Amino acid sequence: MTLAILASRALAGADAPAVRVETHLGVGLPAFTVVGLPDTEVRESRERVRAAIVNSGFEFPNGRITVNLSPADLPKASARFDLPIALSVLLASGQIAIDDGKGEVVPLALQNMVFAGELSLTGALVPVRAALVLAMAVSREQPGATMILPSANAAEAAWVPDLNVLAANTLAEVAAHLMGNARLPKGEPRAWNQMDAPPCLSDVRGQPMARRALEVAAAGGHSMLMVGPPGAGKSMLAQRLPGLLPPLTRVQALESAAISSLTGQPATALHRQPPFRAPHHGASAVALIGGGAVPRPGEISLAHHGVLFLDELPEFTRKSLESLREPLETGRVAIARARHAVEYPARFQLISAMNPCPCGWRGHPKRPCACTPDQVARYVSRLSGPLLDRLDLLIELPATGTDCLELPPGEPSEAVRERVARCRALQQERQGGVNARLEGAAIDAHCELETDAQQLLVKAIQRLHGSARVTHRVLRVARTVADLDAQPRIQARHVAEALQYRCRLG
Ligand SMILES: [Zn+2]
């Protein structure tokens, strides 16, 4: 054979499009060219491939070798093509022969196989970034395919269903497997982490309204802003939200681990607990939203299927805050690049917190506030109206004194989680998703109000000078309150409770 074609995968955002590695061995002066607009990394791979072939006991063929990575317009900044390039050179030069029984080489035998792995100069395989993302794309688009990966990556990829994952340590091992001289072992999946013990809600003393609001947020998937002085328990409450949410499904846990693997950390465990991310307000917009020279997902994507906690919300840069708006609506974030726009999933539940004023003590019964009305207004105005309009629950937390330590412990997370799970099951059955994501006609269809509830809502929205967007927020929250109460129609008391979670800032 003078032409060999193998399959691999590129990385584009959280997706891994198919790449064909085509290698042709022609006559002429010795040359080794890689075409298909590869980046510097791929050109460097030529040197690694050459050394790995020689050091694995093969010969580097004499002649004109042309490698084409197709399609040409995919981003290919990675060494993961080393293994398929080296194998295709060995196939094209006849050093790996796949016998069809009649002495002929059969290229089709490799059709349902996908290869990825970096080579060291010795011919050993080095793990690649985001193998889980590659494996999930292969499983989705070529179910039943065989993937040959470096051993460390095979352990991650083995979690993925509908995929036959084989683990290899060297180029020579892969060659021996293809020729039928030896069998590569199957990838052994690492443990499936059942549940870390999350902090318990019973640690939070007092704050009955905030605890209830947190339960409503958990039940309906609602975003929330807590306003209160330092020490009121805002962070404690936020940290306890993941423990109130239903555990992730296997698919969600895989998606979550796949996003983490894009940051370069190999996934070592699958977590059933929803992720909790709490970036500092000093974090850059890129760290929060994603991006960079080699694009990486940001905190909002690492919080996919989980909770994003932004403490001291007004201290985040305006750019960061404004770029939250789109993912809050769509559950995705698009990052514009010079040549390739990439997209990451970002379906997170936003929990945020802020002080009532720059010094923090405004409205406190004992500590005086040192801020002028002007300073307070400026502080609050850092949060734009459009961002506030996208938050479902805005609640005020009163200051707590030392006397709250004498209160009995509150209800534990487990009891709340059971109610949340029942409420979520109800929403799933009715509309196939959480109330926070009800839109347009679905709001009319599923948020039926009793007459007095309707009147109460209309009056309150007039008083609040609320927009249609705010009306919908209140309705969605009222729907969740009614669901927790197991009532098919929204009653006046449900609307009244939802309106309590619309405190005014400043
Ligand atoms: Zn103040």
Side-chain angles (χ1 to χ4, degrees), residues 357-362 369-371:
C357 66
C359 85
W361 303 113
R362 191 163 177 267
C369 164
C371 311

Side-chain angles (χ1 to χ4, degrees), residues 126-428:
V126 178
V128 296
R129 179 163 76 95
L132 199 45
V133 176
L134 310 186
M136 285 171 75
V138 174
S139 141
R140 207 165 46 237
E141 292 159 19
Q142 297 168 250
T146 294
M147 247 190 129
I148 296 187
L149 291 168
S151 292
N153 290 139
E156 300 171 63
W159 280 319
V160 178
D162 300 325
L163 201 60
N164 178 31
V165 178
L166 301 178
N169 294 311
T170 63
L171 173 62
E173 279 183 22
V174 181
H177 175 86
L178 295 181
M179 288 190 281
N181 298 340
R183 304 298 301 165
L184 287 174
K186 276 186 165 292
E188 281 300 323
R190 292 201 183 96
W192 159 248
N193 180 335
Q194 284 309 317
M195 202 74 151
D196 311 321
C200 186
L201 197 57
S202 60
D203 305 336
V204 180
R205 310 284 168 111
Q207 300 295 15
M209 180 187 165
R211 291 173 60 104
R212 168 71 181 175
L214 195 69
E215 179 171 341
V216 171
H222 300 291
S223 52
M224 179 157 99
L225 170 63
M226 297 177 277
V227 187
K234 304 185 294 276
S235 303
M236 272 185 94
L237 282 158
Q239 285 157 2
R240 278 146 186 83
L241 178 58
L244 305 185
L245 299 174
L248 299 186
T249 63
R250 200 179 173 94
V251 172
Q252 288 174 330
L254 269 172
E255 285 173 1
S256 169
I259 295 170
S260 302
S261 78
L262 284 165
T263 62
Q265 298 290 327
T268 50
L270 280 189
H271 297 278
R272 299 212 68 196
Q273 177 142 344
F276 178 80
R277 305 291 303 190
H280 187 257
H281 57 73
S284 68
V286 165
L288 190 66
I289 305 300
V294 177
R296 300 279 157 108
E299 290 289 338
I300 62 170
S301 294
L302 294 168
H304 185 54
H305 295 313
V307 176
L308 179 72
F309 175 47
L310 301 182
D311 198 4
E312 305 196 47
L313 191 63
E315 304 292 342
F316 282 82
T317 64
R318 182 162 279 263
K319 188 178 171 212
S320 295
L321 293 177
E322 292 307 305
S323 34
L324 287 174
R325 278 162 51 182
E326 191 205 324
L328 274 172
E329 299 276 307
T330 62
R332 308 195 66 78
V333 59
I335 292 159
R337 316 278 314 150
R339 278 176 40 212
H340 305 279
V342 297
E343 211 181 49
Y344 295 112
R347 177 71 71 195
F348 57 90
Q349 188 172 356
L350 176 65
I351 299 297
S352 52
M354 65 186 278
N355 292 334
C357 66
C359 85
W361 303 113
R362 191 163 177 267
H364 195 276
K366 291 189 186 133
R367 313 248 329 222
C369 164
C371 311
T372 65
D374 234 26
Q375 283 171 319
V376 176
R378 260 206 311 277
Y379 179 71
V380 171
S381 72
R382 289 192 210 162
L383 305 179
S384 72
L387 176 65
L388 288 175
D389 277 359
R390 280 171 175 80
L391 300 176
D392 288 350
L393 293 96
L394 283 94
I395 62 159
E396 237 167 331
L397 274 75
T400 49
T402 44
D403 49 340
C404 85
L405 293 175
E406 285 148 35
L407 292 169
E411 204 182 8
S413 294
E414 205 185 336
V416 180
R417 189 165 62 232
E418 273 170 29
R419 286 197 296 271
V420 168
R422 268 201 302 278
C423 188
R424 287 228 172 182
L426 213 137
Q427 297 164 58
Q428 188 64 32

Side-chain angles (χ1 to χ4, degrees), residues 445-457:
H446 303 304
C447 300
E448 215 186 325
L449 291 144
E450 301 274 5
T451 315
D452 52 347
Q454 173 81 41
Q455 287 163 347
L456 177 63
L457 180 66

Side-chain angles (χ1 to χ4, degrees), residues 482-500:
D483 286 341
L484 280 167
D485 199 15
Q487 294 300 320
R489 280 161 72 96
I490 300 171
Q491 300 172 3
R493 62 197 156 100
H494 305 137
V495 172
E497 183 176 340
L499 287 167
Q500 274 185 47

